[in-house]
């Protein structure tokens, strides 16, 4: 079991130490789950209040917070400090050394130095895998795939042919890169095409053969990208689908063919991005948001949870709602609905007076119709 002094931890997180006691720290946990050898993470008001009922002797707290009777380490950015501590105590998955006997590695594949290949992994012809990359059990690497240095693929990853992956990439369980895009065509205009053109569906009950459009492009993943469990990124139809450097993608995300995602983006769970979208740099897309095909989102934009984005937006937008609109417009819509409620309430209040007036002047009202 690893242990650290509070002085060592203070140096690691770059904090300010107020020492009351000097416990050896072997764990980190919320205050109510902490014991005498645990550093309590009191990052918010509720956790700070819970220190009163904690068995911990030391706590990580925001800058300016001091607790009587506690050794405190004050930090300016608590979550950043927590990240450093989690890396300190993190236990990585068990990885076999070299190539497991059950792995199937094509003789034409090129493996760099210190590459680890787990049980039942398949490495296809002409694949290239960089130095220090680790691929865990039951993963598939397609032909002519290029994987950079220092990558880590969790079990069950599937990489299609010709996919290119940069350095320091993490792929979590069940990631799919390079499946065919969802792209089809009919011989004659179908209901979707007619609806887009005419605004309505004029004909029905017309059976048509749906032809698959094959995808001959691929997927290109930049450096220092992480992709969450069971996320799927389809290959491009002709061009490549591209994910920029430093972008982080959560679990259960779908990114369609031909999309181009910029650098440093954060894409949260259950987001769906339809084909041929262009996303700028440092864009945040919150959970369950959906983007229609062929739209552009400018850099430094935030798309809030469950937004239904049907059109393009410029840089530095904050996008809210279904259909999605700029945040200022959404607030105006809410205010309008509130005003409408107030107007309706006033109408109901004076409705009996209006009814009496109508009854008293019925003949006059009929004449003026």
């Amino acid at each position: 079991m690893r242990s650290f002094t509070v002085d060592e931890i203070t140096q690691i997180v770059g904090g300010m130490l107020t020492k009351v006691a000097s416990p050896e720290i072997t764990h980190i946990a919320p205050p109510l789950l902490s014991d005498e050898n645990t550093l309590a993470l009191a990052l918010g008001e509720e956790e700070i209040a819970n220190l009163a009922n904690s068995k911990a002797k030391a706590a990580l707290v925001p800058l300016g917070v001091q607790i009587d009777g506690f050794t405190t380490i004050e930090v300016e950015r608590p979550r950043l400090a927590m990240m450093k501590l989690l890396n300190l105590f993190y236990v990585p998955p068990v990885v076999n050394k070299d190539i497991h006997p059950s792995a199937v590695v094509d003789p034409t594949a090129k493996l760099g130095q210190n590459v680890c290949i787990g049980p039942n992994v398949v490495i296809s012809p002409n694949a290239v895998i960089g130095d220090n990359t680790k691929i865990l059990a039951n993963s598939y690497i397609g032909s002519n795939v290029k994987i950079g240095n220092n990558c880590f693929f969790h079990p069950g990853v599937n990489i299609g042919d010709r996919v290119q992956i940069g350095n320091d990439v993490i792929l979590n369980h069940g990631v799919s890169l390079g499946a065919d895009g969802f792209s089809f065509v009919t011989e004659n205009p179908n209901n979707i095409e007619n609806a887009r053109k005419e605004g309505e569906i004029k004909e029905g009950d017309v059976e048509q053969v749906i032809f698959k459009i094959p995808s001959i492009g691929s997927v290109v993943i930049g450096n220092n990208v992480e992709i969450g469990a069971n996320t799927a990124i389809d290959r491009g139809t002709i061009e490549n689908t591209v994910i920029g450097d430093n972008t982080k993608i959560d679990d259960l995300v779908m990114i369609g063919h031909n999309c181009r995602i910029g650098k440093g983006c954060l894409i949260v769970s259950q987001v769906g991005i339809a084909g041929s979208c262009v996303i700028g740099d440092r864009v945040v897309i919150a959970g369950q948001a959906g983007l229609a095909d062929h739209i552009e989102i400018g850099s430094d934009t935030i798309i809030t949870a469950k937004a239904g984005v049907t059109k393009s937006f410029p840089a530095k937008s904050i996008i809210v709602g279904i259909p999605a609109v700029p945040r200022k417009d959404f607030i105006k819509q809410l205010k309008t609905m509130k005003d409408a409620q107030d107007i309706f309430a006033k109408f109901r209040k004076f409705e009996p007076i209006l009814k009496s007036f109508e009854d008293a002047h019925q003949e006059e009202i009929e004449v003026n119709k």
Side-chain angles (χ1 to χ4, degrees):
M1 180 183 297
R2 301 185 67 184
S3 66
F4 302 88
T5 67
V6 290
D7 298 271
E8 289 173 329
I9 289 178
T10 300
Q11 187 174 4
I12 289 167
V13 301
M16 185 170 64
L17 176 63
T18 301
K19 188 188 294 187
V20 175
S22 300
E24 287 291 315
I25 302 301
T26 58
H27 299 87
I28 55 175
L32 296 182
L33 299 178
S34 297
D35 60 22
E36 293 183 353
N37 295 112
T38 300
L39 179 68
L41 302 181
L43 309 186
E45 293 182 3
E46 182 178 352
E47 290 85 1
I48 293 170
N50 286 339
L51 287 174
N53 298 311
S54 177
K55 295 179 180 179
K57 293 183 177 296
L60 182 77
V61 296
L63 195 64
V65 174
Q66 293 186 357
I67 310 295
D68 291 340
F70 269 87
T71 293
T72 56
I73 302 172
E74 300 174 50
V75 290
E76 186 173 1
R77 287 182 59 78
R79 279 183 63 83
L80 182 64
M82 181 180 71
M83 178 274 294
K84 295 177 182 179
L85 291 175
L86 288 171
N87 277 296
L88 194 65
F89 288 95
Y90 177 70
V91 179
V94 176
V95 179
N96 61 280
K97 294 182 179 180
D98 302 320
I99 300 173
H100 193 274
S102 65
V104 178
V105 180
D106 190 272
T108 62
K110 296 180 180 179
L111 276 58
Q113 297 181 353
N114 195 33
V115 167
C116 298
I117 306 296
N120 301 318
V121 170
V122 175
I123 310 293
S124 299
N126 300 309
V128 177
I129 300 174
D131 297 344
N132 305 310
T133 286
K134 297 173 175 57
I135 302 174
L136 272 58
N138 301 316
S139 295
Y140 173 84
I141 309 299
S143 62
N144 297 290
V145 167
K146 293 183 179 180
I147 300 170
N149 301 327
N150 306 308
C151 294
F152 194 101
F153 296 178
H154 289 265
V157 165
N158 287 281
I159 312 296
D161 295 346
R162 296 175 284 105
V163 169
Q164 298 178 43
I165 298 172
N167 301 321
D168 303 296
V169 171
I170 298 173
L171 302 182
N172 285 285
H173 306 72
V175 164
S176 170
L177 302 181
D180 265 2
F182 189 76
S183 191
F184 301 88
V185 67
T186 54
E187 189 168 356
N188 298 304
N190 58 29
N191 286 341
I192 295 174
E193 294 172 273
N194 290 329
R196 284 178 172 174
K197 183 178 180 180
E198 306 291 342
E200 60 180 338
I201 301 173
K202 294 183 176 180
E203 297 182 8
D205 301 323
V206 178
E207 296 292 337
Q208 297 203 62
V209 177
I210 301 175
F211 298 99
K212 178 180 176 60
I213 299 176
S215 301
I216 63 173
S218 193
V219 175
V220 176
I221 306 294
N223 299 320
N224 196 31
V225 170
E226 180 164 357
I227 300 175
N230 295 319
T231 282
I233 303 176
D234 286 350
R235 65 176 59 252
T237 307
I238 300 174
E239 301 178 1
N240 293 326
T241 302
V242 178
I243 309 297
D245 295 348
N246 301 308
T247 284
K248 314 299 180 185
I249 302 173
D250 199 358
D251 301 347
L252 298 169
V253 171
M254 171 64 218
I255 298 177
H257 58 280
N258 304 332
C259 286
R260 298 203 306 272
I261 311 295
K263 299 177 181 179
C265 294
L266 293 173
I267 302 177
V268 185
S269 180
Q270 299 184 23
V271 164
I273 303 177
S276 301
C277 288
V278 178
I279 311 295
D281 299 334
R282 300 172 301 280
V283 171
V284 177
I285 308 178
Q288 296 189 336
L291 280 67
D293 59 299
H294 293 86
I295 63 175
E296 296 188 17
I297 303 297
S299 296
D300 299 298
T301 288
I302 297 174
I303 300 175
T304 60
K306 296 188 176 182
V309 186
T310 60
K311 63 179 183 179
S312 298
F313 285 87
K316 300 181 180 179
S317 298
I318 301 177
I319 304 170
V320 185
I322 306 174
V325 296
R327 181 175 179 273
K328 290 181 180 179
D329 292 348
F330 185 76
I331 292 173
K332 287 180 182 178
Q333 292 176 359
L334 293 178
K335 187 177 184 303
T336 299
M337 287 190 289
K338 178 63 169 61
D339 291 344
Q341 288 178 332
D342 293 342
I343 292 170
F344 184 72
K346 289 179 180 178
F347 171 78
R348 293 298 299 267
K349 179 179 179 180
F350 292 105
E351 189 175 15
I353 299 174
L354 179 61
K355 184 67 169 60
S356 298
F357 179 85
E358 288 178 341
D359 293 342
H361 299 81
Q362 188 63 41
E363 293 183 2
E364 185 179 344
I365 292 172
E366 291 292 332
V367 169
N368 292 327
K369 276 187 176 180

